[in-house]
């Protein structure tokens, strides 16, 4: 959440607004009593758009602070993207910074260039994609040579190129240096400060901060795993893990043809084939390479667990994956009484194709020859 | 002579005594690949059951065997180190099978291992049919011939290769470049190599949603491959935006990575895009029939 | 055309508005160096009193002026950054005057700024007499001619140049490579350039105690400069072991960096070593008189 | 000192022997009472060879510990290199490790390769230069590409190449990684573990540790400056700084001809010229570039402050340094009544040579024309 992200930012020397993390209205009142002035009460939730949902309030006295905190804590914030809402359990009480100017700065990975790219614009507080679309010249970029890393001249060049107000100049190298250090240390996909605020009293402060971590790199920072766990797990990812699949090997979609394939490319290709046949996939499911019968069986159960699935297409091109294992898994899955059965089309080719077909034949199943044919049959079956 | 790999390529296996490493070593040897040895720290001096020697370090293996190619089967936390070790030992081409390597590890690897070609990571490897196979692909679907193939996918590649082989279109070299966001060898790199390969008459590019590799490939083809037919396919055209489908790289975010953009780019470059894999052989034959 | 620097070299000054930067800019202009502008962050858009424009970044200056050379007058904590900025802006040769740069900063700079020649740091710069001077050397002692000179020292170089000039031996290019442990351009680098320079008939190498640059130079000469006379001098032959004398690099530790080792190496390579600077002109004339 | 170096080592995850830093005999007794076993009492001094000088003792009971600590604390350790000795003010009490095997590992800068070089040998506890001289094959080296930095394979390669006993293998990558992190973080000239011990219970421990820092990089670690200050300042360096010279611009030598020159190269050249003339320099002194009269005067006083100086040779080749400023400084120095006067030879050429000579002539001095001539004259004058 915001307060955790800001801790990381402070850890690399990037100033954030003065503030305190609290869980009770009395703590808010006590803090404002000790620190008179204008304060912002920010609900600590994971959903976006909390401001518009009423999750941010301003207070300038202990009583006002206590009153508003009572309103916020326990409140369920809702918006279009989060119809179920999220309950506010804690607040970040932050100084109300008098803003002279706002900028935007982020570092992300440019896949095509295979380099980290730093993005700066003087149009802070805005959606950077919108700025890029409407005023591309307002955005300055620098691609970092990973062998050299961040050097202060990069910050100078970007600050001058983006025409940041002079007040930003002095602090900019250390802020960008801190941001790069964080990007590298946590193996982030994205680190972003928006807005980076120049206050009327001349301070440069990260007013809002965002970090997107690479799941593959999380093992290097076990302390951040706990953080990730606080996030409401993506239901698809949770289902994939529970089934024994990789985290991104399963995704629920809108159609009614269940799909199981081996390999992400073949999985997507199978979805496409179903669409080409006039149907729509109910899911993407990649059993990965070398799957055993047990995993095939569990995957089958996962897919038919979605009530909108009207037919299933299992499409296997055996490389590492062996046809006999897949066939065994299918037969076992169908043998269970506790599982919903839907019309099934199997395509099975490649490694141990012959053995697999024999197992299926033994259970009265007759695989199709090609992906296109299988997709057509599945669409027909779903139409009933 | 195909690209990247031929009959004489001497290949070592990093992680040769692991379950995956050993299994695929046996398969590669069965295919005819010249496996000269492998590396597992601490097992130097032993041999695997195929008789291949095991070394403690890549350098030891290279010094003893003259290996020029390596294939890497080590877990994600050690994969970048394995690539650096290969680079340091003078390896010229490394195939990295490992899935799940942190993107930052690969950023550092590609920025510093100048001159070593890396295929992958998270890829099925490459094969010059009838000559050598360095990867985890099922050898039996390939046929020697004069079509080059480049793909971000594994099993979809087998599908396409099978269709090509059955249509009488053998392959010069097939490269599975991998599905990760940061990969060592891109479509453009492979196209540059195929462009000057006298044993390749046409190239099939098998892309998918996500990233902008396909758009870059289209631009490269328009400029540099006027006389070599290219046919494309884009996987995941029915995928919804924002969902990551299997490959870490296969995600449509905002306006980036949409199939429309990719199809448009290929068509603008004069590259026909197959609606489904089964159309590919026909499109290749049509393009080959047109006099250059 | 001499080496590294000629009449057409366009030079910018990093730190042009500082006390040192401004003073030497004026002197270089007086010598005839083509100074095209300078850089001081925050002073972009102004001009120094010579009329030269000041820019906020090296890139701005290069874009506006086409500068290819830079000379760096910035304090030690910012010097490596200045070198990286020059490299990033496409500068081909950087002279770094700054003394006191951490050795680790230079390790990183030399490991990553491929293709940019760095002279120094902690050096007096270089001059192609009659053409251009990029450094802090007193221009009046140099005379145009056909002798190349390479030196780890500053003032001792003036001494030797003065002796050469007075003996009628003008210079093609004189390079002060600097006295730090980690420098961008070594004796060997300069010798390689002089070896193929048609305007240089002989080379004077002015080494000193510490390190093994002189030994490396001797080995290079033996192999690659059979037909170009070289004369050497070693400063600090009377220095005791273990004392650091001015230059961070000038220290004899253990068996490393002794004058005996250096003299022996040069003599083995057929390079006469002057006992004192005043012998150098004579030795050069003797060597030039021998038919190659 | 040792205990400080070991703190840095622990900071990067390199195990050191269990121990405690103490300043009183009672603390030693209390520690051993709480932690029964065999302990080593190591005097914390900066001089080398403390073991042979009697600065290391072994204790296995609280009373024995108190007794031996009483002997050590306050004792002045002396040896040939340190005739004045150094008083012991504190002790490091460390576990007595049962040694199975010893290795050596260090990282330093290879000037010629312009790279960090890692050096490993299985012959731990020895002087590595001696090992290199007598058994060069026992030493394994690896030059690190600074763009890549340390990677675990480097440790594996060195451990196998140096034939370290198997017990070292598992811990070696993390120890070498920590050592490299330290080398980089502190901008060290040298980091060394000798010996790196494999204990009989299978631990790998840095038994003695050494760090040599680069003065030029110290500004990045103000916290370490304090440490450097504990070192007995090199007298020459202290004198140089007090005079306003750079830290390595002055060094006292054994001869009787005082020397002042501008530039390190010319300074060494002047020493050589004096030797060629049959004399010997009493010092090296480089006034640097662009010196003003005041610095010349102070430098003069520094040199003649050495009573063995019988004559002085000031050798200036003006580049940035202006002849008139040097001449002014010489005249002012000689004008002082409080300063010892010795026969003086001046050579002055280069920038503002004419103006300088006029100033000297005004004070009745007549400079020589060349360095060789000046050296000869100075040697004659010293012979008196």
């Amino acid at each position: 959440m915001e307060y955790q992200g800001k801790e990381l930012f402070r850890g690399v020397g990037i100033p954030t607004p003065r503030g305190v993390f609290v869980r009770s209205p009395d703590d808010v009142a006590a803090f404002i009593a000790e620190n008179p002035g204008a304060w912002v009460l920010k609900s600590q939730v994971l959903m976006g758009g909390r401001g518009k949902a009423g999750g941010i309030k301003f207070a300038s006295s202990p009583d006002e602070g206590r009153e508003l905190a009572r309103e916020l804590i326990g409140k369920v914030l809702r918006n279009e993207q989060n119809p179920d809402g999220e309950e506010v359990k804690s607040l970040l009480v932050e100084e109300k910074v008098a803003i002279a100017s706002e900028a935007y700065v982020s570092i992300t990975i440019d896949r095509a260039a295979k380099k980290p790219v730093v993005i700066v614009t003087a149009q802070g507080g805005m959606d950077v994609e919108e700025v890029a679309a409407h005023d591309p010249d307002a955005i300055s970029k620098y691609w970092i040579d990973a062998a050299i890393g961040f050097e202060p001249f990069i910050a100078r060049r970007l600050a001058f190129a983006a025409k940041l107000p002079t007040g930003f100049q002095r602090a900019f190298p250390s802020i960008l240096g801190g941001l790069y250090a964080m990007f590298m240390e946590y193996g982030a996909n994205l680190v972003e400060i928006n807005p980076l605020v120049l206050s009327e009293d001349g301070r440069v402060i990260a007013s809002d901060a965002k970090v997107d971590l690479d799941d593959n790199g999380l093992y290097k920072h076990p302390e951040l795993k706990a953080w990730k766990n606080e996030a409401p797990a993506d239901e698809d990812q949770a289902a994939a893990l529970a089934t024994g699949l990789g985290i991104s090997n399963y995704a629920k979609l809108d159609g009614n043809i269940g799909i199981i394939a081996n390999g992400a490319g073949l999985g997507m290709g199978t979805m496409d084939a179903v669409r080409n046949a006039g149907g729509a996939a109910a899911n993407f499911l990649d059993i990965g390479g070398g799957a055993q019968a047990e995993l095939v069986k569990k995957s089958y159960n996962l897919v038919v667990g979605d009530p909108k699935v009207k037919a299933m297409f299992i499409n296997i091109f055996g490389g590492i994956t062996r046809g006999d294992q897949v066939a065994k898994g299918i037969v076992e899955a169908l043998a269970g009484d506790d599982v919903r059965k839907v019309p099934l089309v199997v395509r099975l080719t490649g490694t141990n194709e012959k053995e697999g077909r024999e197992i299926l034949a033994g259970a009265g199943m007759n695989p199709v020859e090609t992906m296109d044919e299988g997709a057509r049959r599945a669409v027909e079956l779903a139409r009933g | 002579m195909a690209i990247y790999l031929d009959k004489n390529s001497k290949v070592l296996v990093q992680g040769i005594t692991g379950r995956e490493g050993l299994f695929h070593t046996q398969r590669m040897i069965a295919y005819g690949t010249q496996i000269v040895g492998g590396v597992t720290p601490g097992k130097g001096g032993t041999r695997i059951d195929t008789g291949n020697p095991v070394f403690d370090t890549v350098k030891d293996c290279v010094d003893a065997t003259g290996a020029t190619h390596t294939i890497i089967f080590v877990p994600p936390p050690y994969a970048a180190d394995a690539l650096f070790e290969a680079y340091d030992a003078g390896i010229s081409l490394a195939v990295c099978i490992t899935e799940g390597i942190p993107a930052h590890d690969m950023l550092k690897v590609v920025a510093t291992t100048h001159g070593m070609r890396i295929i992958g990571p998270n890829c099925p490897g490459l094969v010059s049919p009838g000559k050598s196979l360095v990867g985890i692909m099922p050898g039996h679907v390939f046929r020697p011939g004069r079509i080059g193939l480049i793909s971000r996918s594994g099993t979809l590649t087998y599908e396409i290769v099978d269709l090509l082989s059955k249509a009488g279109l053998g392959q010069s070299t097939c490269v599975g470049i991998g599905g990760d966001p940061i990969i060592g060898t891109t479509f453009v790199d492979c196209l540059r190599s195929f462009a000057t390969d006298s044993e390749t008459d046409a190239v099939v590019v098998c892309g998918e949603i996500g990233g902008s590799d396909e758009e870059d490939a289209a631009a490269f083809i328009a400029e540099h491959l006027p006389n070599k037919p290219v046919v494309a396919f884009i996987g995941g055209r029915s995928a919804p935006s924002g969902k990551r489908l299997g490959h870490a790289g296969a995600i449509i975010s905002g306006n980036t990575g949409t199939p429309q953009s990719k199809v448009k780019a290929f068509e603008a470059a004069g590259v026909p895009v197959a609606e489904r894999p089964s159309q590919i052989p026909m499109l290749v034959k049509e393009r080959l029939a047109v006099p250059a």
Side-chain angles (χ1 to χ4, degrees), chain A, chain B:
Chain A
M1 292 202 258
E2 184 189 9
Y3 76 96
Q4 294 165 313
K6 282 186 173 166
E7 262 170 39
L8 292 191
F9 278 74
R10 283 191 294 274
V12 292
I14 297 176
T16 59
R18 272 200 307 145
V20 65
F21 174 73
V22 296
R23 294 180 188 275
S24 84
D26 286 346
D27 287 348
V28 175
F31 179 78
I32 297 180
E34 273 174 45
N35 303 275
W39 295 93
V40 192
L41 276 52
K42 301 164 95 176
S43 300
Q44 296 301 287
V45 287
L46 286 152
M47 58 181 267
R50 65 183 168 179
K52 285 191 181 162
I56 295 183
K57 304 280 180 188
F58 299 88
S60 47
S61 75
D63 286 347
E64 192 183 5
R66 183 185 292 106
E67 195 55 39
L68 292 170
R70 274 192 190 135
E71 281 178 32
L72 287 173
I73 295 174
K75 183 173 176 174
V76 176
L77 302 183
R78 275 192 187 82
N79 59 20
E80 245 179 59
Q81 288 76 44
N82 300 276
D84 294 344
E86 188 179 347
E87 190 187 335
V88 179
K89 292 181 175 164
S90 56
L91 302 174
L92 185 59
V93 182
E94 270 191 353
E95 63 174 319
K96 200 176 159 189
V97 177
I99 295 170
S101 182
E102 294 183 322
Y104 168 98
V105 49
S106 71
I107 306 178
T108 183
I109 295 174
D110 182 325
R111 288 171 57 163
K114 302 179 191 176
K115 287 180 175 177
V117 58
V118 188
I119 301 173
V120 175
T121 156
Q123 300 188 25
M126 316 260 297
D127 178 344
V128 72
E129 303 234 342
E130 242 166 66
V131 178
H134 295 105
D135 189 4
D137 290 348
I139 291 187
S140 298
K141 294 185 180 184
Y142 185 87
W143 285 264
I144 289 186
D145 178 341
I148 295 180
F150 173 81
E151 293 291 333
F153 82 86
I154 296 169
R156 292 198 302 274
R157 181 196 294 184
L158 286 169
F160 286 117
K163 298 191 174 60
L164 295 195
T166 317
F168 281 107
Q169 303 278 2
R170 181 176 289 271
F172 206 59
S174 100
I175 284 174
L176 211 48
L179 201 61
Y180 185 74
M182 217 169 111
F183 175 77
M184 294 303 289
E185 172 63 27
Y186 297 103
N189 291 320
L190 168 76
V191 288
E192 184 184 77
I193 305 176
N194 188 22
L196 179 69
V197 164
L198 174 63
S199 70
E200 286 186 351
D201 56 356
R203 292 176 296 152
V204 179
I205 303 167
S207 179
D208 203 359
K210 191 171 155 189
V211 183
D212 177 30
L213 300 173
D214 174 8
D215 291 332
N216 287 342
L218 265 188
Y219 73 89
K220 296 180 185 178
H221 285 279
E223 79 278 13
L224 298 185
K225 278 195 184 156
W227 268 48
K228 274 257 162 173
N229 290 345
E230 287 188 18
D234 177 312
E235 269 180 37
D236 292 352
Q237 294 186 354
L241 292 174
T243 307
L245 295 165
I247 195 162
S248 61
N249 283 25
Y250 174 70
K252 208 181 254 192
L253 304 170
D254 292 332
N256 62 2
I257 314 280
I259 284 174
I260 292 176
N262 63 323
L266 191 63
M268 286 190 269
T270 310
M271 284 164 50
D272 296 343
V274 166
R275 192 196 59 163
N276 288 337
N283 67 282
F284 165 88
L285 192 155
D286 165 17
I287 54 169
Q292 302 294 305
E294 180 66 16
L295 182 63
V296 177
K297 181 181 161 187
K298 282 188 172 171
S299 296
Y300 179 94
N301 288 348
L302 171 61
V303 172
V304 296
D306 177 358
K308 69 176 184 296
V309 170
K310 297 279 179 269
M312 164 117 60
F313 178 20
I314 298 179
N315 185 16
I316 302 298
F317 202 117
I320 323 176
T321 306
R322 288 159 52 189
D324 54 336
Q325 285 292 335
V326 174
K328 209 166 145 239
I330 295 169
V331 172
E332 281 172 15
L334 294 174
D337 280 341
D338 52 338
V339 68
R340 185 166 82 91
K341 302 218 172 46
V342 296
L344 170 68
V345 181
V346 179
R347 186 263 190 139
L348 191 65
T349 189
T351 308
N352 291 10
E353 171 181 338
K354 194 165 153 279
E355 294 84 342
R357 281 170 169 264
E358 277 167 16
I359 292 169
L360 291 176
M365 278 181 280
N366 195 12
V368 298
E369 293 300 320
T370 70
M371 175 158 75
D372 289 350
E373 186 192 344
R376 264 196 313 274
R377 286 277 298 277
V379 171
E380 285 165 18
L381 289 169
R383 284 190 185 131
Chain B
M1 64 139 270
I3 66 169
Y4 303 155
L5 182 68
D6 69 16
K7 229 180 161 44
N8 302 316
S9 305
K10 292 184 175 176
V11 182
L12 72 86
V13 180
Q14 284 172 265
I16 196 169
T17 60
R19 195 172 57 93
E20 292 275 297
L22 190 57
F23 176 67
H24 289 290
T25 297
Q26 291 159 338
R27 283 168 58 114
M28 288 187 282
I29 290 170
Y31 190 82
T33 306
Q34 234 195 102
I35 299 286
V36 295
V39 176
T40 296
K43 300 209 176 160
T46 66
R47 285 176 185 272
I48 59 168
D49 57 11
T50 58
N52 291 109
V54 181
F55 299 86
D56 287 319
T57 69
V58 176
K59 186 170 187 300
D60 288 347
C61 184
V62 168
D63 287 350
T65 66
T68 53
H69 289 47
T70 183
I71 177 164
I72 293 173
F73 294 96
V74 305
Y78 315 110
D81 184 47
L83 283 160
F84 286 122
E85 182 173 5
Y87 168 70
D88 183 71
I91 288 290
S92 61
L93 186 145
V95 172
C96 186
I97 303 299
T98 311
E99 180 177 355
I101 303 178
H104 277 243
D105 285 9
M106 286 310 301
L107 281 179
K108 184 177 166 190
V109 169
V110 299
T112 54
T113 56
H114 308 290
M116 177 172 81
R117 178 161 299 289
I118 296 170
I119 310 288
N122 189 16
C123 80
L126 78 164
V127 53
S128 292
K131 295 170 178 161
S132 187
L133 183 157
V134 180
I136 58 170
M137 301 189 277
H140 65 272
V141 299
F142 299 91
R143 295 286 173 275
R146 304 184 59 83
I147 309 297
L149 186 142
I150 325 166
S151 175
R152 274 166 73 181
S153 155
T155 40
L156 188 59
T157 307
Y158 316 157
E159 181 82 43
I160 292 169
V161 165
D162 196 42
L163 291 163
L164 288 170
S165 295
K166 284 178 176 158
L169 295 165
Q171 305 89 41
S172 53
T173 302
C174 299
V175 189
I177 62 172
D180 270 7
I182 305 295
I183 51 176
T185 297
T186 60
F187 283 140
V188 167
D189 295 324
C190 294
L191 285 165
R192 187 175 290 119
S193 302
F194 277 130
T196 55
D197 180 36
S198 61
E199 294 188 7
T200 301
D201 293 337
V203 182
V204 175
V205 176
C206 176
E208 64 188 28
I209 55 166
S212 60
D213 252 27
E214 290 78 5
E215 287 86 338
D216 295 342
F220 182 86
I221 291 163
E223 194 170 347
H224 300 284
L225 271 86
N227 299 319
K228 197 158 275 193
V230 181
V231 170
F233 174 78
I234 307 294
R237 288 170 77 165
S238 60
S241 180
K243 295 255 186 190
R244 190 170 114 182
L245 302 181
H247 288 162
I251 184 166
I252 302 170
S253 43
N255 296 320
T256 313
T258 66
Q260 291 77 13
S261 154
K262 295 173 190 300
V263 170
K264 207 175 130 190
F266 276 124
E267 289 179 344
V271 174
V273 182
E275 282 277 333
R276 56 195 76 189
S278 55
Q279 297 171 335
I280 293 173
M282 184 194 65
L283 288 172
V284 171
K285 286 182 177 173
E286 280 177 16
R287 297 279 290 132
L288 281 172
V290 179

